[in-house]
Each structure stands twice: as structure tokens, then as C-alpha cells.
Amino acid sequence: MEKNKLANERVGKWARALQEYAPKFFYKDGKAHADADSLSRMPLPTEHSVDTRAPFCRHCNLPIDGSIPIRSGLGASIAGVEVGGVSPLAAAVPFLDKVKAALPSDPFISDLFRYLQERTLPVETSRCKNVMVQEDSFDVRDGLLYRYEKGGAEQLYVPPALRDTVLTMHHDHPIGGHPAVKRLFQRLLAEFWWPCLRKDAREWVYKCRPCQERRNQPKSRNPQTLPVPSQPFQRVGIDVVGPVPMSRRGNRFMFVIMCALTRWPEVFALPEVPAWKVAKILFEEIICRYRFIETLVSDRGTNFLVEIM
Ligand SMILES: [Zn+2]
Ligand SMILES: [Zn+2]
């Protein structure tokens, strides 16, 4: 193996990694080790649903058009399958058929598409140039337009009307869903292409409701988040605001008590905030009026809390 010119970079890397173990190589016939085949095999290209011919999403293994991954169409009718009371014959048009149907009328690629199919160029010079620039990286196969990246993936061109479907399936789907922008690019570009795909993906994530809600969640100041209490005033947060300009009664501080469950606030104006005063207020105004406080939360340091106790 060392003497042979290595087949490619990948094998070369393996060879270097294995060298330190000084292995001996034996030839084993393919038929004899079918068990290991699934491990060593290169990732397969996207598979397509036999029934609808929609490509399967690589991540969730569902057809990309959101169709139900059981047999539909004639095969299903024969098998007596019914989906949600609707005859499968009335099922949505397969994803790839939709793509195919939309291509000729798609203004962005219509010139290129016509050229690749019929070898006819538009008369207008700028449009003609456009086709010539793009020609090398595209090809039409089986009525579909594919883009080829240098040494990269074969990307299916998706017409505008179907881009939302692809984005939905690659961002919103339930399993491993809601990837961030960068990850979404990677997933999409492995199989699909359209102009401004990056911009569309970024906006999609930005506008996504669950993602928005996750972004807007305030960062917890306390890393070990406490469980939600089951009763009002079971857990109570206390805080001191001030000093603020002195009131006519000579108060400069606001002592704030808040129930962790209901967010019910109680505020007391005080000239100073000694621990004994805090303890008195907690006892008279909370414990006597509501219930015994099980947990007291404050970010003013443990000394303060110890003094109150
Ligand atoms: Zn997916
Ligand atoms: Zn999202």
C-alpha cells in the first residue's frame, strides 16, 4: 500500500492515520464483508420518495414537500390506503413535478433553461451574455435544472414559488429543527440552489416565530435556574432600589418584594434599608398576610440574607 500511488486524498489520510499501528493488509472480497458495508460507504445522494418522487430530507427523512411518507397515488389506491379521509389520488402534485412545471415560466432562469434544452440563445446581448456566463455551472436533467459547484454538490434549482416549501422543511420540521442561519445554509446548499438563497435563509430564520421567541428570552442572571414555585409567595424575590432623591417624608430607598410565581409586587419606601427593617417588613407584610416564605431570592449577597434571618 505504501508503494502504490494512493487512490485519493481520503485514502491517503486513512493510510497515514493507520501507519503508526503498523498494520498488515489483506484483501477481502466484497461479498465476504457485506456487514461492514454500511459503515464504510460514502454518504449517498438524496433519496427520493418512490411514490411522489419528492426528495427525502437528509435530516428528518421525510419527503421535502411535506407529503406523508406512505404510498400515495395509484399504488396506494391498490393497497387501499386512505390519508385523512382523502383519496391519495387527489394528493398534492409531487414536489419535483411542481419544480418541473414552474421552470419554463421562471423569468430568472428561462433564458438559461431554454438554451440548455434547445440550444437557442436570446437575441438581446445582455441576456445572451448572462446565459453564457451561467452555462458552465448548470445542466438540465430529466426536465430539472441543476447547478454544479466546483467539486461540490449537485444542487437542484428551486423556482420562487417552491422556496418556502424547501425552507420550511429544512428549518421548521420537528426533528432537529430550527437550525441557525449558518447551519441552514449548509443544509440547503448541499441539495438546493437559487439566487439569494443565503439572504432568503437569513430572513427565514429571522422571521421564524419560535426562533424569535428563543432569541428574546432574557439571559438568566442565575445560571442554575430555579424550578417554578407552585404557590404564591412560596418563593419571594427582594431588591432595593435607590438611593433616589429624598421624598418629603425622608425616604430615599424603595424596598421591593416580588412573588416569584405571580410577579405580584409590594413596594415600601424607606429612609435606610437595614436588615432588621427588611426582616420586619417580610414578616409583617408577607408572612402574616400571605404565607410562610420558603425561599428568599436576592442578588445583594448572602451577608444581607443572613442578617435578615
Ligand atoms: Zn429536514
Ligand atoms: Zn425557527
Side-chain angles (χ1 to χ4, degrees), residues 152-183:
E154 178 189 76
Q155 300 162 318
L156 177 72
Y157 171 79
V158 184
L162 293 161
R163 290 171 194 169
D164 280 7
T165 308
V166 172
L167 285 165
T168 304
M169 287 308 292
H170 281 80
H171 181 79
D172 308 44
H173 63 77
I175 299 164
H178 297 280
V181 177
K182 216 174 162 186
R183 223 188 134 83

Side-chain angles (χ1 to χ4, degrees), residues 186-240:
Q186 288 171 351
R187 287 186 181 182
L188 289 171
L189 289 171
E191 295 165 66
F192 303 100
W193 182 85
W194 64 83
C196 307
L197 179 144
R198 282 164 188 273
K199 183 173 156 278
D200 289 355
R202 197 178 302 118
E203 277 173 15
W204 189 267
V205 175
Y206 187 73
K207 285 180 193 159
C208 171
R209 187 77 186 273
C211 282
Q212 247 172 18
E213 280 165 7
R214 203 178 327 135
R215 270 196 301 274
N216 291 341
Q217 253 168 30
K219 293 263 188 321
S220 168
R221 271 190 292 181
N222 195 354
Q224 64 266 60
T225 42
L226 297 156
V228 178
S230 56
Q231 286 175 25
F233 290 100
Q234 186 181 2
R235 185 165 79 232
V236 169
I238 55 171
D239 201 3
V240 176

Side-chain angles (χ1 to χ4, degrees), residues 5-61:
K5 200 175 176 188
L6 295 168
N8 56 42
E9 189 56 26
R10 194 171 65 93
V11 177
K13 273 183 195 157
W14 276 110
R16 280 192 292 280
L18 288 169
Q19 245 166 20
E20 60 175 299
Y21 303 101
K24 287 177 184 165
F25 293 96
F26 299 97
Y27 175 73
K28 196 176 174 187
D29 193 73
K31 283 175 215 153
H33 68 121
D35 50 337
D37 211 29
S38 61
L39 295 173
S40 57
R41 192 171 278 171
M42 291 283 275
L44 290 166
T46 321
E47 293 193 43
H48 294 253
S49 160
V50 187
D51 297 310
T52 65
R53 283 187 293 139
F56 280 124
C57 171
R58 288 187 181 173
H59 320 289
C60 56
N61 247 335

